[in-house]
Amino acid sequence: MKIATLAALVASVPAVSAQLHALAKNAGLLYFGTAVGPGDSRDAPYYALSNDIKNFGQYTPDNAQKWDATEPQRGRFQYTQADAIVNRAIANKMIMRCHTLVWYSQLPSWVSSGSWTKDTMTSVMQTHISNVMGHFKSKCYAWDVVNEALEDNGTYRNNPFLKALGDSYFALSFKFAAAADPDTKLYYNDYNLEYFPVKADGAVRIVKLVQAAGVPIHGVGLQAHMTVGRTPSRSNLTWTLEKYTSLGLDVAYTELDVRIKPLPSNSSSLQAQAKEYEAIVGSCLDVPRCVGITVWGFGDAHSWIPQTFPGAGDSCLFDKNSKPKPAFSSVSAILASASGKRVPWGSKPTSLVSATSVVATSAPVVQTTVVMLPSKTSTKVAVTSVA
Ligand code: G3I
């Protein structure tokens, strides 16, 4: 069936009857998910949608697991907000992507303004990672271990970790993470990898540094904060994803949104947005080791964009009243068109089943089946021990 026909079909039925996570699973992805935050429950229709596993099978906390939220004072850990989100995921039988451990932003001032030596920073990082990951042990399918460590020109972003440890902080972070929870998938996560090949290559460099140290790294998360009119083509996006899968890694879109400028949006910009969402989701479907897609909130009333990019907005799949937009229909259609065409991620469910246990995930084993990989890619890199 042609995609245009499918799009017409999806558009002709009430759009909410198309269910993103259910469609994504049928298309062989592990999940379609969303970022969630403490403010969500103040908007009843939005909150109801966010708890509907047929649409969203995975959560990422927008802020609750960051350093300033979890260790605001040295050695004093707090998890109330993050626990609430994880418990919601457990109650809904959803997968958790956990976010994030080593990041220059949303650091408490005791870290960002501290004066650190190699040894003291190593100890601070180890304490933070082992406590936070230890608290959520076996509840996170994946962790964004290092976040946004690159400038857009591909050089390393200056931050307290780089300052104290040089580029050895990458492998150290992953080493501490692997020790804290050996069963979770460990990701490097960044934005604009989709736009700037030089930055995408910077992430390749980081991956190779970690692998060369004999430390596990399992995936690269592409945040995909995109702008209408600037989103790369589906084939360019696929090419970028394959930079990482060819290193033996999984990939995921971790914070997807496509902002519109100028506002107000109109039918033409909303249609353009729908096509660009379709290209992004399509590129994930094109890559056997693309695990899933997470949107950074799904309603225009809840997006971070207007505050950070004044004059831009309307970046989500649902409008300010939680009504589906053309982008919701195009994403549903492209997912529906892939139904049954990919090897599914594992035969066992990978959602959380109780507060204390996770159904074992065999997904990567299935996903690395050589048959499914393009010939130019290599299979899994065997990483056995921690340095
Ligand atoms: O907690 C304070 C609160 O005490 C204060 O009253 C209020 C006043 O503005 O600010 C609150 O902090 C805000 C925080 O979110 C928690 O709500 C910050 O101002 C605000 O800047 C912060 O924004 C977050 C942003 O990361 C910071 O970089 C967004 O909510 C969050 O969605 C966003 O998420 C990031 C990902 O983690 C990484 N990739 C980019 C993405 C978007 O920026």
Side-chain angles (χ1 to χ4, degrees):
M1 190 180 290
K2 285 194 171 133
I3 288 171
T5 320
L6 271 164
L9 252 181
V10 171
S12 70
V13 295
V16 278
S17 71
Q19 296 154 321
L20 299 171
H21 178 62
L23 290 169
K25 297 257 302 177
N26 286 343
L29 301 180
L30 183 59
Y31 57 80
F32 195 102
T34 182
V36 289
D40 297 356
S41 59
R42 291 195 286 271
D43 177 345
Y46 185 87
Y47 191 64
L49 266 172
S50 74
N51 283 301
D52 172 11
I53 193 175
K54 290 188 178 131
N55 264 306
F56 301 105
Q58 174 269 321
Y59 284 163
T60 306
D62 62 356
N63 290 303
Q65 289 177 323
K66 292 171 179 174
W67 202 312
D68 62 352
T70 53
E71 194 187 3
Q73 292 168 277
R74 189 169 183 178
R76 298 188 64 173
F77 293 88
Q78 58 181 40
Y79 299 109
T80 315
Q81 282 199 352
D83 282 344
I85 291 168
V86 173
N87 288 337
R88 229 172 108 196
I90 289 167
N92 292 337
K93 299 191 165 37
M94 292 168 176
I95 293 166
M96 281 299 303
R97 280 198 94 260
C98 292
H99 174 83
T100 179
L101 296 163
V102 178
W103 185 29
Y104 77 95
S105 180
Q106 288 174 279
L107 278 177
S109 58
W110 70 265
V111 180
S112 53
S113 313
S115 169
W116 305 108
T117 64
K118 201 173 169 191
D119 286 348
T120 55
M121 180 53 92
T122 301
S123 161
V124 158
M125 280 171 46
Q126 183 166 25
T127 302
H128 182 74
I129 292 171
S130 63
N131 270 276
V132 178
M133 287 187 74
H135 181 81
F136 297 107
K137 191 167 182 176
S138 66
K139 294 177 181 171
C140 301
Y141 164 74
W143 262 104
D144 292 328
V145 177
V146 178
N147 195 44
E148 301 176 8
L150 292 162
E151 300 286 356
D152 282 349
N153 67 8
T155 60
Y156 296 134
R157 187 192 290 276
N158 195 15
N159 65 31
F161 314 106
L162 186 76
K163 202 169 156 202
L165 293 161
D167 63 13
S168 70
Y169 90 87
F170 299 117
L172 268 182
S173 303
F174 281 86
K175 171 183 157 178
F176 297 146
D181 187 351
D183 296 325
T184 190
K185 303 293 165 204
L186 308 176
Y187 274 65
Y188 176 71
N189 190 53
D190 212 332
Y191 63 89
N192 282 353
L193 303 179
E194 312 83 5
Y195 281 120
F196 302 121
V198 72
K199 185 167 190 176
D201 289 340
V204 167
R205 234 171 34 245
I206 290 173
V207 169
K208 288 185 170 169
L209 272 176
V210 177
Q211 289 178 333
V215 171
I217 178 168
H218 305 107
V220 170
L222 294 93
Q223 294 183 7
H225 293 299
M226 314 301 263
T227 303
V228 165
R230 290 190 53 221
T231 301
S233 67
R234 176 169 171 170
S235 58
N236 276 350
L237 290 165
T238 300
W239 176 78
T240 303
L241 294 176
E242 287 177 342
K243 274 181 191 280
Y244 308 115
T245 58
S246 69
L247 297 171
L249 300 187
D250 297 334
V251 286
Y253 285 119
T254 53
E255 304 184 12
L256 172 61
D257 47 30
V258 186
R259 59 186 176 263
I260 291 176
K261 190 174 182 179
L263 295 174
S265 56
N266 53 37
S267 63
S268 141
S269 56
L270 290 171
Q271 287 303 331
Q273 180 186 53
K275 295 300 293 175
E276 295 181 24
Y277 262 102
E278 180 186 300
I280 297 158
V281 172
S283 68
C284 184
L285 294 169
D286 289 342
V287 176
R289 291 192 68 167
C290 190
V291 183
I293 296 158
T294 308
V295 289
W296 206 243
F298 56 87
D300 287 339
H302 292 257
S303 170
W304 65 291
I305 295 287
Q307 198 187 350
T308 307
F309 299 99
D314 289 1
S315 54
C316 297
L317 297 173
F318 291 77
D319 69 14
K320 292 191 171 67
N321 299 311
S322 294
K323 298 284 179 252
K325 292 163 61 181
F328 178 87
S329 298
S330 68
V331 169
S332 302
I334 193 76
L335 290 172
S337 75
S339 180
K341 293 192 181 149
R342 286 166 41 116
V343 171
W345 274 89
S347 50
K348 292 180 189 168
T350 51
S351 58
L352 300 168
V353 291
S354 77
T356 52
S357 68
V358 175
V359 172
T361 164
S362 57
V365 175
V366 173
Q367 206 60 21
T368 54
T369 304
V370 178
V371 172
M372 288 302 296
L373 292 170
S375 55
K376 65 185 173 195
T377 65
S378 64
T379 50
K380 210 164 64 167
V381 172
V383 182
T384 46
S385 67
V386 168

